[in-house]
Amino acid sequence: MHVEFLLEEESAEAALRVLGPRLLPNCTFQFIPHQGKDDLLKRLPGRLKTYARRLPTEPELRVVVLMDADANCRARKQTLERLVAEAGITTKTAAAAGQPFQVITRLAVTELEAWFLGDPDAIQAAYSRVHPNHFKGIHTVPDEIPDAWETLWRVLQRANLYPTGKAKVEWAETIAPHLDPARNTSASFRGFCAGLGALR
């Protein structure tokens, strides 16, 4: 199976370069990052038209569209599903029971960094200077944190890391190897993992 990921930004690519082979062993991958949500949504119709031509002749091809939900999860999901449907492609969400599909759309709620905050052990494994007390006061439901990347940055700053600026790609590269889907409390991360598993 060959999986192509259409992604909002480079930090998602950095995380999935690690997570993809772990979650889907013995597969090949292509990662296509964009310059933010607007760029992804602008280019998505054209890319989906290309996939609509490729998918019938490439039975091993699967496509994953991943975007941050930000503040409007339902609207983001509807937008992605509508764009895929307009290209004449059936997603896992739209497929009837037993109907085959080759495309899934998924959201990181509210942002990719919520997936990291859902696994404090992974953050501590990635950064030995981060201790449990650095998470004090943080919302216990990571998908409900409205400012996930800023929250992660605050945790790291409490450990005297990254005092002067964010490093979202580096955070993803460093934390993703330690993420454990079984203990992660982010529902959107678990949903993403389950969606990948359903692609087989």
Side-chain angles (χ1 to χ4, degrees):
M1 188 168 76
H2 174 70
V3 186
E4 298 191 1
F5 290 91
L6 303 180
L7 305 167
E8 179 177 329
E9 58 187 358
E10 291 181 350
S11 58
E13 178 187 9
L16 290 176
R17 282 191 179 279
V18 175
L19 292 170
R22 284 177 52 198
L23 297 170
L24 292 173
N26 303 315
C27 295
T28 58
F29 302 96
Q30 183 177 357
F31 305 93
I32 306 171
H34 294 76
Q35 301 300 313
K37 187 177 286 81
D38 290 344
D39 184 42
L40 172 61
L41 291 173
K42 177 182 177 182
R43 296 175 183 270
L44 196 52
R47 294 194 186 283
L48 290 168
K49 287 181 181 177
T50 300
Y51 284 120
R53 292 191 294 271
R54 291 178 56 193
L55 286 166
T57 61
E58 299 181 46
E60 292 300 311
L61 174 61
R62 304 290 185 273
V63 180
V64 178
V65 185
L66 175 65
M67 185 171 75
D68 287 352
D70 295 329
N72 200 334
C73 182
R74 186 182 300 272
R76 297 292 189 207
K77 181 70 172 179
Q78 288 175 342
T79 297
L80 291 181
E81 288 292 320
R82 176 179 54 78
L83 290 174
V84 177
E86 288 174 353
I89 300 171
T90 301
T91 67
K92 178 181 183 298
T93 301
Q99 182 181 5
F101 58 88
Q102 292 172 269
V103 177
I104 63 170
T105 63
R106 284 293 180 268
L107 297 172
V109 182
T110 55
E111 298 172 324
L112 179 72
E113 289 74 16
W115 292 4
F116 306 152
L117 291 167
D119 190 346
D121 288 347
I123 297 173
Q124 292 176 79
Y127 297 100
S128 60
R129 290 163 63 177
V130 176
H131 299 292
N133 63 305
H134 294 142
F135 296 93
K136 186 177 181 181
I138 291 177
H139 200 301
T140 56
V141 181
D143 290 0
E144 295 180 4
I145 299 173
D147 55 347
W149 78 259
E150 293 93 335
T151 299
L152 175 60
W153 190 19
R154 283 195 293 275
V155 169
L156 297 173
Q157 286 181 312
R158 290 171 182 173
N160 296 317
L161 296 163
Y162 303 100
T164 59
K166 65 179 180 179
K168 296 174 73 173
V169 172
E170 186 174 317
W171 299 342
E173 291 172 337
T174 307
I175 297 171
H178 303 282
L179 289 176
D180 182 349
R183 72 184 176 208
N184 200 302
T185 60
S186 166
S188 69
F189 179 67
R190 294 197 306 272
F192 174 77
C193 295
L196 287 190
L199 285 174
R200 287 194 179 274

